[in-house]
Amino acid sequence: MGQIKPASPVKLIVGVITANAALLDAVYLKLEDRFSEIDFASQFMPFDYTAYYSQEMGRELQRQFVSFEQLVPPDELAAAKRFSNTVECQFAESETARRRVNLDPGYISAAKLILASTKDHAHRIHLQNGIYAENTLRFRNKTFQPWEWTYPDYRTPAYIEIFNHIREIYLGQLKARGLRAHPD
């Protein structure tokens, strides 16, 4: 029988999509109030991998990734997704309820990038209350690697570079706290 051990803390991230970057200062204040100070923000990148959001959110969408200073237990992911959905609603257009910002929380550990979703699929595991977890990338051969189901944008060198950078921040935080990164 295997020994039950507490899970290592993980690095919470949020992928943000919007056509209105002026909203983000207020959005990020809400996220920081809940999750802790943002310790990394990527450059804005065009989000043109799919037209899925364009009818609701407009064209010329931009994507940014942020990570948070405080490490969290991995089982906080479901609560993070529920909170991010609440924030999306708070910033939706009042007349139409159309979202103006899309927030995709996930986490990075030493071995993987996990995303939260409200949509079930064969490769997703139910966490609680309608929130699922997807193993989106695995860390292998000194970099993150996609799975067959990984979204096209998450496969790009630009995104992989961002996630590798956030992983390095995470590993430094573990080391500073005297914690060892588990290979998962």
Side-chain angles (χ1 to χ4, degrees), residues 65-141:
F65 289 97
V66 296
S67 66
F68 300 89
E69 185 175 332
Q70 184 176 348
L71 302 182
V72 299
D75 55 10
E76 291 289 319
L77 184 58
K81 179 63 175 172
R82 286 192 302 276
F83 180 76
S84 70
N85 281 4
T86 300
V87 173
E88 287 180 6
C89 290
Q90 290 172 350
F91 286 89
E93 290 180 353
S94 56
E95 307 83 38
T96 62
R98 289 175 34 180
R99 285 185 298 175
R100 296 188 299 164
V101 63
N102 179 70
L103 303 172
D104 292 321
Y107 68 74
I108 288 177
S109 73
K112 59 189 169 275
L113 183 149
I114 303 293
L115 290 179
S117 179
T118 58
K119 301 170 197 78
D120 191 9
H121 207 290
H123 60 283
R124 294 182 179 153
I125 297 167
H126 186 261
L127 298 175
Q128 60 177 293
N129 302 322
I131 305 299
Y132 299 84
E134 173 183 297
N135 187 339
T136 301
L137 297 169
R138 63 185 180 256
F139 194 83
R140 191 169 158 210
N141 298 324

Side-chain angles (χ1 to χ4, degrees), residues 20 30 37 43 47 58 85 102 110 113 136 145 161 164 166:
N20 185 354
K30 289 195 174 287
E37 185 176 330
Q43 297 293 321
F47 184 76
N85 281 4
N102 179 70
L113 183 149
T136 301
Q145 303 282 331
E161 182 180 328
N164 284 333
I166 295 171

Side-chain angles (χ1 to χ4, degrees), residues 18-56:
T18 189
N20 185 354
L23 292 173
L24 295 184
D25 284 345
V27 169
Y28 289 165
L29 280 175
K30 289 195 174 287
L31 296 179
E32 286 181 318
D33 283 347
R34 175 68 184 255
F35 301 131
S36 76
E37 185 176 330
I38 291 172
D39 65 357
F40 173 80
S42 72
Q43 297 293 321
F44 285 100
M45 301 164 281
F47 184 76
D48 51 11
Y49 298 93
T50 177
Y52 181 81
Y53 299 103
S54 59
Q55 185 174 1
E56 179 183 19

Side-chain angles (χ1 to χ4, degrees), residues 5-11 71-75 107-112 170 174 179-184:
K5 300 174 189 164
S8 295
V10 295
K11 184 99 174 137
L71 302 182
V72 299
D75 55 10
Y107 68 74
I108 288 177
S109 73
K112 59 189 169 275
Y170 166 70
L174 289 180
L179 299 173
R180 208 178 108 221
H182 296 293
D184 292 340

